[in-house]
Amino acid sequence: MPVAEGGDQYSVWVGLIYIFNLIVGTGALTLPAAFARAGWGLSTISLVFLAFMSFMNATYVIETMACANAVFKWKRLQFLKRNSIQDEENSEEEQSSSNAPGYGELEDPLVCGDSVPSRYYSLDKRIELGEMANLFLSKTGRTMFYCTLCVYLYGDLSIYSAAVSKSLMDVVCSTIPSNMTNITDWDDMPCFHASEGTFTRIDCYRMALLTFFAAMGPFVFFNVQKTKYLQLFTSGMRWLAFVIMISMAIHLLIKHGPQGKPPAFDFTGMPTLFGACVYSFMCHHSLPGLISPIRGKSHLGLHLSLDYMLISIFYLLLAFTGAFAFANLNDLYTLNFVPTDNENIFLEIVEYFLALFPVFTLSTSFPIIAITLRNNLQSLFLDTSRLESYNFVLRKLIFPIVAVVPPLLLTYFLEDISVLIKFTGSYAGTGIQYLIPTFLVLSARRHCANLLGLGVVNRYKSPFSNVSWAVFVLLWSFICIILVSVNMIEKHLHR
């Protein structure tokens, strides 16, 4: 896969906006309710801790990507050296012309000192998680990786498309009467009260779904750089929505005082809080595609940490104000802002804007995740080192279609995907955020040490490079799986 062209690159700040958009999705809207249940003290500690864990594993992904770049550069150097020796044996004249461009740009591993960063390690070449798994993991590890990744990404795309379509349906269709308590009857209700069943809510949902795929689906045929202006626009919408929700909650606190009285610590709410936080800090599957086009990556780790701190502050503000401003919190926070005074035009506008919040957030993330899935499917079935040698249909058409059609079919015929949400955001989410980056970085370090020697310095090495950090992440992953299982069992028993 070639290095991104200069025109396809973007500044580090645009890259951080991409990452911000990817992380901050509808998962953030489930935080206030989970925050209130677990208690403000326990929730604050847990949220900061889980943000740190997510950041640590993001640095593992970056280090592994740099290792993969080093392996490809080393293989290229060996290829050039072999060609040079063969040409030298043939004739002196051919030797002078055989020094292909790029040979001089790569140093021999032996000349690198302990304190000199090696040019082997870079983030210029986009190498997806699937390619890293092919390089560094065993056959069993690769199988488990692709199963986990595909379950998570297909599940994510299904969740996103269903959430957007339902949000559009709720905005377009008439309000459901308060005496309607049976959720199973909602789909068959007329979308508009005057339509008398000719156009039902499920019809509106499916029309919104097809419109969403028609608008967002074409992006999967291109690279993530092509979504730049969409990212910038929806980032503004996202900030505006958060500012409105935080400001309105603060206004209610000032006007009426604290209506919610969450405890300081309630460990029974910990499993729910964990599920919300893990989903709210997920970005690892798409990091390679977002990082490689960035210009000037010398302080990437510092910039990424600032991004995580900003997101954590946003989450804490949202959760704290919501937990104390409302006596009862809905699982989806935007539902707390439905105005009671329908004559107030401003509140009516705010209602519609917040109802469309999932549309703004998920429409941005959908192309990034679909492109990530497409690239990883290519690395599973094709040799990415000679991608251009495959025919146009295979390269440009088949894999984008395979990435978007299954979620479309699933959500078209099955709009209630609550089971998929639980499995995707919990077990597969733990694997993507914690287990995969840790196993990849441990294998990559060992592989590069054997290939290049210990003297070659990786300037993108994670600050958490001590093996004890990796052991800690693995232990935490098993605790997470236990917490998620307890949460699911509890919910099942209380039905």
Side-chain angles (χ1 to χ4, degrees), residues 175 338-349 351-352:
T175 307
V338 176
T340 54
D341 180 13
N342 291 326
E343 294 180 0
N344 189 315
I345 297 174
F346 174 74
L347 289 179
E348 196 77 19
I349 293 171
E351 174 191 3
Y352 280 109

Side-chain angles (χ1 to χ4, degrees), residues 40 43 47 54 76 82 86 103 137 151 155 171 224 249 253 262 270 287 304 313 324 337-338 381 411 418 423 427 473:
W40 60 266
S43 297
L47 190 144
S54 178
R76 180 180 167 217
R82 282 196 300 271
Q86 288 173 359
Y103 176 79
L137 297 183
V151 166
V171 169
V224 72
L253 282 170
M270 187 65 187
L287 270 181
L304 187 63
I313 292 169
F324 285 96
F337 294 93
V338 176
F381 294 105
T411 48
S418 56
F423 190 82
Y427 297 107
V473 173

Side-chain angles (χ1 to χ4, degrees), residues 137-401:
L137 297 183
S138 64
K139 185 177 180 181
T140 303
R142 289 195 297 272
T143 302
M144 293 180 67
F145 164 81
Y146 278 111
C147 288
T148 305
L149 186 71
C150 287
V151 166
Y152 183 82
L153 294 181
Y154 273 124
D156 243 11
L157 293 177
S158 302
I159 292 165
Y160 283 14
S161 52
V164 168
S165 304
K166 284 190 173 183
S167 297
L168 290 171
M169 176 190 71
D170 288 336
V171 169
V172 172
C173 294
S174 303
T175 307
I176 296 172
S178 56
N179 60 350
M180 284 288 299
T181 56
N182 191 353
I183 298 176
T184 57
D185 295 336
W186 291 3
D187 291 342
D188 297 325
M189 284 181 58
C191 182
F192 307 106
H193 292 323
S195 63
E196 297 181 355
T198 55
F199 185 68
T200 62
R201 290 175 63 86
I202 190 65
D203 292 332
C204 182
Y205 165 83
R206 287 173 175 168
M207 184 176 290
L209 181 69
L210 293 173
T211 304
F212 174 70
F213 271 87
M216 294 294 112
F219 283 109
V220 78
F221 291 92
F222 306 102
N223 289 326
V224 72
Q225 297 96 303
K226 304 300 181 184
T227 68
K228 177 178 178 178
Y229 296 107
L230 176 67
Q231 297 285 333
L232 294 174
F233 170 74
T234 52
S235 180
M237 294 295 100
R238 205 173 295 218
W239 279 77
L240 181 60
F242 273 113
V243 168
I244 287 174
M245 287 187 284
I246 292 169
S247 301
M248 290 183 72
I250 292 173
H251 172 73
L252 290 172
L253 282 170
I254 295 171
K255 187 176 180 180
H256 303 294
Q259 299 299 303
K261 294 177 173 57
F265 290 84
D266 185 353
F267 287 94
T268 59
M270 187 65 187
T272 305
L273 178 69
F274 158 74
C277 286
V278 166
Y279 208 65
S280 298
F281 284 108
M282 182 69 73
C283 66
H284 306 72
H285 48 74
S286 296
L287 270 181
L290 299 180
I291 288 172
S292 59
I294 292 177
R295 292 189 299 269
K297 305 180 183 74
S298 54
H299 301 291
L300 183 62
L302 175 63
H303 289 127
L304 187 63
S305 67
L306 293 174
D307 218 5
Y308 266 90
M309 282 191 278
L310 178 63
I311 292 166
S312 300
I313 292 169
F314 243 70
Y315 282 172
L316 286 172
L317 267 174
L318 187 75
F320 256 104
T321 54
F324 285 96
F326 297 98
N328 297 301
L329 280 167
N330 288 287
D331 286 336
L332 197 64
Y333 189 46
T334 48
L335 297 177
N336 283 91
F337 294 93
V338 176
T340 54
D341 180 13
N342 291 326
E343 294 180 0
N344 189 315
I345 297 174
F346 174 74
L347 289 179
E348 196 77 19
I349 293 171
V350 169
E351 174 191 3
Y352 280 109
F353 178 75
L354 292 180
L356 290 170
F357 179 78
V359 179
F360 298 136
T361 58
L362 302 183
S363 295
T364 312
S365 301
F366 186 91
I368 295 176
I369 293 173
I371 290 168
T372 300
L373 178 59
R374 179 204 70 189
N375 292 340
N376 280 283
L377 288 172
Q378 284 179 336
S379 66
L380 174 61
F381 294 105
L382 304 180
D383 182 357
T384 52
S385 62
R386 57 183 191 91
L387 201 59
E388 297 301 320
S389 65
Y390 294 100
N391 65 65
F392 176 82
V393 173
L394 192 60
R395 281 189 297 114
K396 298 292 187 181
L397 299 180
I398 296 297
F399 288 99
I401 291 170

